[in-house]
Amino acid sequence: MRKELVDLSINGRRHELAVEPNRTLLDVLREDLRLTGTKCGCDDSSCGACTVVVDGQPMLSCLLLAVSYQDSQIQTIESLATQGELGALQRGFVQEGGSQCGFCTPGMVMSLHTLLESTADPTEEEVRAAISGNICRCTGYMQICRAVRHAVAEIREEEIREKERLHA
Amino acid sequence: MSGSGDIDGWVGRSVPRKDGVAKVTGQARYVDDITMPHMLYGVTVRSSVPRGRIKAIHYSDKIPWEQFTIVTAANIPGENVIYLLMGDQPCLASRVINHSQEPIVLLAHSDKNLLEAARGGVTIEVEPEPGVFSIEDSLEQKEIVWGSDNILKQYHMNKGDVDSVWPSADFVVEGEYRTGAQEQLYIENNGMIATASPAEGVTVWGSMQCPYYVQKALMRLFALPAEKVRVVAAVTGGGFGGKEEYPSMIAGHAALLAWKSGRPVKMIYDRAEDMAATTKRHPSRTRHRTAVSRDGKLLGMDIEFTLDGGAYATLSAVVLSRGTIHAAGPYRCPNVRVHARAVATNYPPHGAFRGFGAPQSIFALERHLNKVAAVVGLPPEELRRRNFLHQGDLTSTGQEVREPVDLEGLLDRAFSATDYRAKVQSFARSNIGSRIKRGIGFATFMHGAGFTGSGEEYLASIVGVEATADGGAKILVAATEMGQGSSTTLAQIAADALGISFDRVTVAEQDTANVPNSGPTVASRTCMVVGKLVETAALALKAKVAEAGIAGDFSTASAAYIKIHGPLRHFAKYAAPPGIHWDDQSYQGDAYGAYAWAVYVAEVAVDTLTYEASVTDFVALQEVGRVIHPRVAAGQIEGGVAQGIGYALYENVQWKDGRMANNQMTNYIMPTAADVPPIRVLFAETPYAYGPGGAKGIGELPIDGPAPAIANALENALGVPFDEIPATPEKIMTAVRGAR
Ligand code: FES
Ligand code: FES
């Protein structure tokens, strides 16, 4: 198949590359860009392991054709830790045991990352709804829910400290 | 949390997991994340009929075959067998087909798309033969599909004389119970990468639980000695038993393609292939006949326990063994007979899945005891209370319970946590006239940790601990981290034994070239058995340093030791706890070094319009010895309970002509975050003298209890028995309508 030149914006960086028009975003991320944090767990868009954030929305990258997302901002798990420093949600996962085998984790974290961007203090139902498309076989979801609560508390404390700093 | 000589120790604390950061950042390297220069991809061409004879293999002339590497049975350098316990399963079928997913031809190419087209270009011409697709047909020998009688393995377990009790019994209660197949559904599919050549031997990297099983299988397949077969476990995305035996098959396939092509070959299954072709939990049928006295004392239990093993023996013998030993549960009964059989059918082989035969026989027993209680006229908890095992009693294998066990106490605590008695009454009232029927049910059970009987002695596991030059320590084990937290808990155990910081302990990569054979990562044995060996080796290391007369804490002293004497390491070998005896013939003796004890309580709601059932509350209370890492332990229980909820209600493998018809995650329904209720995990801790820091095994226990607790809750809600799982809406509808 003939390749097309595409220009993708991933984790704030532009990547120009030649890809076949039938390639999924998942394959391009994993194989062409070697961003292997995003996982493939099924063949029928039903596991959520491949979840990335596209223009602020969680999307299944195994369903998207790479050529169609040239005007989008794409965010993967690799973007969440800045200079080796984990994000609050990632810290929550480590602290609360939200990740066991870890294979669902990148997708889980990206779904929840989007939730926390829009909902500062989600209810348990909102958390569960946000990950209802992300299947985890290891945890029974309890420690994932706790990880979110941990992150929410940490973010709030950080905000309070920030305010106090401004006042002082 | 740094510095050495921490007074309280590391065991018992929820320290951050060793593998946490790599996994939340996407840096953890699973097999599909690894690539090699000049790597090819491999695929498998399988049978499509479940039983028959191969007449010919046709290759379409539309495919440029000269670009492909093609492997059939004729290309196998050693024996055409995937060796585990027996040599009955071929690596590639050459003449006979025994199940619908039998691998026949392997193809490799650098382009995945061309490979898919090529797979479709191979046709296997088969002369079909009639197959056997049920336990009944296999037992009746409708066709002989394995050996001379279709029996893969059988045991006769005998305690006392059950036939002597029928005349004197006040009641004799009979029942039949069934469980379906269940897919492990680890989220990472099976996969391997192999390099191989006659000069270099074979090396494989992949997703697995048991590196030394894979090595053993590859040695036969390639007729190579151990030093020429190297197996490395990549980060493994879940196993649950599903990566206990099948990795040997896929490793063999990838290595054969690499051997022939001279290039690295990566083979990763997609979900549909993984679900259709790899092993699942054995379907079962259990028949109970129980003699009981008027006051509810169990006098005799006659149990017929049968597993559908599928087309080859694989691990059926040991799965059956565990199911047999757990069949009579944590109850005192002087006369017990279990006739257990694993029978062959023409389904793809069934295999290991968390619980390993115990969930099947425990489901049957915990359902049956509710039936017995109803016949005697006692509440189900009272019947159990009158028969619980206590310290000093003998289990069904005649094993004396040496540790204190307090099942009454566990039952009371679980009931008060769930308000069980009040709920039984309030549901009975509120269900009248209500569309939603609620119910509550429970199961009491035990689970033996480690290999059965003399298994651990045969395994003779070896574990190493090595001091590092910087004053830390490295653990050398073949136990793989598949999410259960072993790299963390083993490090905690070593840190305490050495008196150094948890942060200074690492676990070496599971590479057969570097780590000793500490046995397979199965049977809830890693923490208890392997962990104990880690503790022993670490203590010996410390003693070595002390003997050398070097002063200071371990970190300082071991670093000084290495400077003077060179490498400092110690290997510890398994020794059975004192007084352990097992007789394989009579199936009597000390079946397991230790048992975990548990009471699980489930609450359900059933919509009587849609017949959908859901679990609305769940309490899991267990006594597992000392808890090494409370958060990891709770995570194991929560995950196991979620799998148990799926097993009880949703996970329905639909077979059609000997193959799984719903081999996709869209139509094989498993619990999502929205289906699993909050799971309340409670521990009772009674330190076990022979476990590291007092710990017992834990990993499998949580899959045993949910299904019977949920089925008992369904009966409580609807007033009709549920003796077969999964209790799908269709089955619930049939049961409810049948009762009208
Ligand atoms: S890989 Fe499973 S949903 Fe995309
Ligand atoms: S942590 Fe293993 S699938 Fe979620």
Side-chain angles (χ1 to χ4, degrees), chain B residues 28 63 77 164 257-258 263 268 313 317 434 452 491 540 581 669 730:
Chain B
I63 308 287
S164 69
L257 285 166
R263 291 168 62 171
I268 307 284
S434 165
T452 302
H581 302 287
I669 309 302
E730 296 75 36

Side-chain angles (χ1 to χ4, degrees), chain A residues 106-117:
Chain A
M108 235 3 132
V109 169
M110 295 318 280
S111 290
L112 290 167
H113 177 75
T114 333
L115 172 72
L116 292 187
E117 298 273 274

Side-chain angles (χ1 to χ4, degrees), chain A residues 31 34 39 44 95 101 128, chain B residues 30 33 112 631 666 673:
Chain A
E31 292 167 4
R34 301 294 305 142
K39 302 299 179 201
D44 59 349
Q95 285 303 321
C101 83
R128 285 181 182 260
Chain B
Y30 301 81
D33 303 336
K112 283 188 201 170
R631 203 175 49 234
T666 30

Side-chain angles (χ1 to χ4, degrees), chain B residues 325-475:
Chain B
I325 293 168
H326 287 79
Y331 307 103
R332 189 173 41 185
C333 179
N335 305 291
V336 180
R337 177 168 61 201
V338 185
H339 182 202
R341 286 171 293 190
V343 300
T345 59
N346 295 106
Y347 294 114
H350 296 301
F353 189 164
R354 189 183 215 162
F356 217 67
Q360 291 94 321
S361 63
I362 290 172
F363 172 77
L365 177 67
E366 288 300 299
R367 278 296 303 134
H368 186 65
L369 287 184
N370 273 31
K371 188 175 284 184
V372 173
V375 170
V376 177
L378 288 172
E381 62 274 21
E382 188 52 35
L383 180 95
R384 287 172 175 81
R385 218 179 259 286
R386 293 184 187 184
N387 293 284
F388 277 146
L389 282 172
H390 295 111
Q391 191 171 21
D393 286 340
L394 301 181
T395 68
S396 61
T397 66
Q399 174 170 10
E400 184 188 329
V401 179
R402 294 194 184 83
E403 324 292 326
V405 40
D406 178 20
L407 284 158
E408 290 86 348
L410 290 179
L411 193 66
D412 287 342
R413 194 172 151 202
F415 277 14
S416 76
T418 49
D419 215 359
Y420 176 88
R421 289 204 176 74
K423 285 212 171 125
V424 169
Q425 294 187 354
S426 70
F427 290 161
R429 278 194 305 272
S430 64
N431 280 345
I432 300 169
S434 165
R435 167 179 157 181
I436 307 292
K437 309 278 189 211
R438 296 183 181 280
I440 188 164
F442 71 98
T444 50
F445 57 102
M446 63 183 188
H447 195 96
F451 261 39
T452 302
S454 32
E456 288 294 344
E457 266 170 283
Y458 287 129
L459 276 181
S461 298
I462 300 173
V463 159
V465 177
E466 183 179 282
T468 53
D470 61 356
K474 191 189 255 184
I475 298 172

Side-chain angles (χ1 to χ4, degrees), chain A residues 1 20 22-23 27 30-31 34-49 77-81 84 86 89-106 108-109 124 127-129 131-146, chain B residues 16-17 19-21 23-30 32-35 41 112-113 182-189 235-238 240 270-273 353-354 481-484 630-632 634-636 638-640 642-643 651 664-668 670-674 676-680:
Chain A
M1 196 176 296
E20 293 89 346
N22 68 345
R23 300 275 308 287
D27 284 348
R30 288 183 50 82
E31 292 167 4
R34 301 294 305 142
L35 291 169
T36 55
T38 306
K39 302 299 179 201
C40 172
C42 69
D43 340 304
D44 59 349
S45 58
S46 54
C47 77
I77 186 72
E78 283 88 354
S79 70
L80 292 196
L86 299 185
L89 190 55
Q90 290 169 309
R91 263 196 304 280
F93 265 70
V94 173
Q95 285 303 321
E96 298 294 338
S99 181
Q100 288 189 23
C101 83
F103 209 75
C104 71
T105 307
M108 235 3 132
V109 169
E124 171 101 9
V127 172
R128 285 181 182 260
I131 55 168
S132 62
N134 294 84
I135 303 289
C136 176
R137 190 57 152 172
C138 299
T139 63
Y141 309 102
M142 297 285 293
Q143 294 182 341
I144 292 172
C145 294
R146 286 190 202 112
Chain B
R17 289 175 65 119
D19 51 352
V21 172
K23 285 175 175 172
V24 299
T25 52
Q27 299 306 308
R29 305 263 280 166
Y30 301 81
D32 199 17
D33 303 336
I34 302 169
T35 56
Y41 297 95
K112 283 188 201 170
N113 290 320
Q182 186 185 20
E183 168 59 36
Q184 291 87 356
L185 226 126
Y186 31 72
I187 303 301
E188 180 209 29
N189 292 314
V235 177
T236 292
F240 316 116
D270 63 19
R271 180 60 63 185
E273 183 171 22
F353 189 164
R354 189 183 215 162
E481 169 67 81
M482 49 183 168
Q484 83 283 39
R631 203 175 49 234
V632 162
Q636 282 289 292
E638 289 159 2
Q643 288 177 357
E651 297 183 37
Q664 297 224 294
M665 288 173 77
T666 30
N667 47 20
Y668 179 82
M670 58 161 292
T672 69
V676 178
I679 299 159
R680 296 187 274 154

Side-chain angles (χ1 to χ4, degrees), chain B residues 711-725:
Chain B
N712 288 340
L714 287 175
E715 181 179 46
N716 179 248
L718 298 166
V720 289
F722 288 89
D723 295 339
E724 190 176 336
I725 50 167

